[in-house]
Amino acid sequence: MGDHKEQPLRVGAAVRRRRRALDLTLAVVSERSGLSVPFLSQVENDRARPSRSSLEKVADALRTTAVELLAAADPACSVDVVRADAAEPLPLPQPRTRSLVRGHHQMHASEFTGEHDAGREFRYRNDQLMYVADGAVEIEAEGRAYRLGRGDTLYLTGGVRHRWRAAESDTRVIVVAVAEHIEAVRDRPRR
């Protein structure tokens, strides 16, 4: 239960992402595929499951393949448990990153344990929240330095350049962000 391998795939979100990436309307995809706009809308909203033939027509209209659309599909589950022991155990204090959300969703979450490359600068398109579960981190963002301890959070709006490092051994940081494939943030004016 809650295992993606047991769940059927929902291809609708993959179709919508591909269509939007190509900047196409449903009407254009309808014209190219020979399928109706209402049917395509139902497919994108996972209210209709396309036959193999229909999926191939949609894929052709989107200049991809049915296999690629299925590979990008989301599992049809609303609840998924990611067990702590699912990651390969590494001897501490070796750094590791573990994804806390499986699949291609609107939210991405990762757990960072151990050291982290302080020289590496990050800049994400969308908003992000960092939560220190254990230990402490030092973060440089927008020219200011911050030290966060256990239980502290830092919110970064999309586009903010930042870098961080573990300030104590056995540090664990949870990072939750709006997924990169979502256009959640338009270019914001700099202050």
Side-chain angles (χ1 to χ4, degrees):
M1 190 145 59
D3 187 344
H4 283 295
K5 295 174 189 157
E6 300 170 0
Q7 303 293 332
L9 294 177
R10 295 181 312 166
V11 73
V15 169
R16 182 182 317 107
R17 283 191 296 269
R18 178 69 180 171
R19 179 179 62 79
R20 287 181 177 169
L22 295 172
D23 202 25
L24 299 175
T25 64
L26 282 173
V28 170
V29 176
S30 171
E31 184 179 312
R32 288 181 181 179
S33 67
L35 301 169
S36 72
V37 170
F39 175 71
L40 292 171
S41 176
Q42 289 179 343
V43 167
E44 283 193 2
N45 291 298
D46 289 312
R47 289 191 296 252
R49 290 187 58 163
S51 67
R52 181 180 180 141
S53 171
S54 293
L55 186 58
E56 288 173 358
K57 289 177 183 178
V58 170
D60 286 344
L62 296 174
R63 294 182 174 92
T64 189
T65 65
V67 171
E68 297 230 356
L69 287 175
L70 288 172
D74 293 334
C77 64
S78 57
V79 176
D80 185 40
V81 176
V82 177
R83 300 282 180 201
D85 60 1
E88 247 180 69
L90 295 174
L92 290 178
Q94 183 135 6
R96 90 174 175 193
T97 302
R98 179 172 71 101
S99 181
L100 301 176
V101 178
R102 289 185 280 224
H104 196 69
H105 299 287
Q106 295 181 14
M107 181 186 76
H108 180 74
S110 296
E111 175 187 56
F112 296 90
T113 305
E115 294 298 315
H116 189 71
D117 181 6
R120 184 172 174 204
E121 185 174 78
F122 298 92
R123 182 177 181 188
Y124 296 101
R125 183 171 76 187
N126 294 322
D127 296 358
Q128 159 180 11
L129 175 80
M130 296 178 75
Y131 170 76
V132 180
D134 288 308
V137 296
E138 292 174 349
I139 302 168
E140 181 186 320
E142 296 286 302
R144 294 186 60 193
Y146 303 89
R147 183 177 173 93
L148 303 180
R150 183 175 185 204
D152 290 342
T153 63
L154 178 76
Y155 181 85
L156 299 162
T157 57
V160 171
R161 292 181 189 276
H162 63 284
R163 66 181 83 230
W164 64 278
R165 71 174 195 86
E168 297 176 5
S169 62
D170 298 334
T171 293
R172 282 190 318 127
V173 178
I174 309 297
V175 178
V176 180
V178 176
E180 287 293 311
H181 69 274
I182 303 294
E183 188 62 43
V185 178
R186 301 275 186 234
D187 289 331
R188 293 184 175 148
R190 292 258 179 207
R191 293 181 189 184

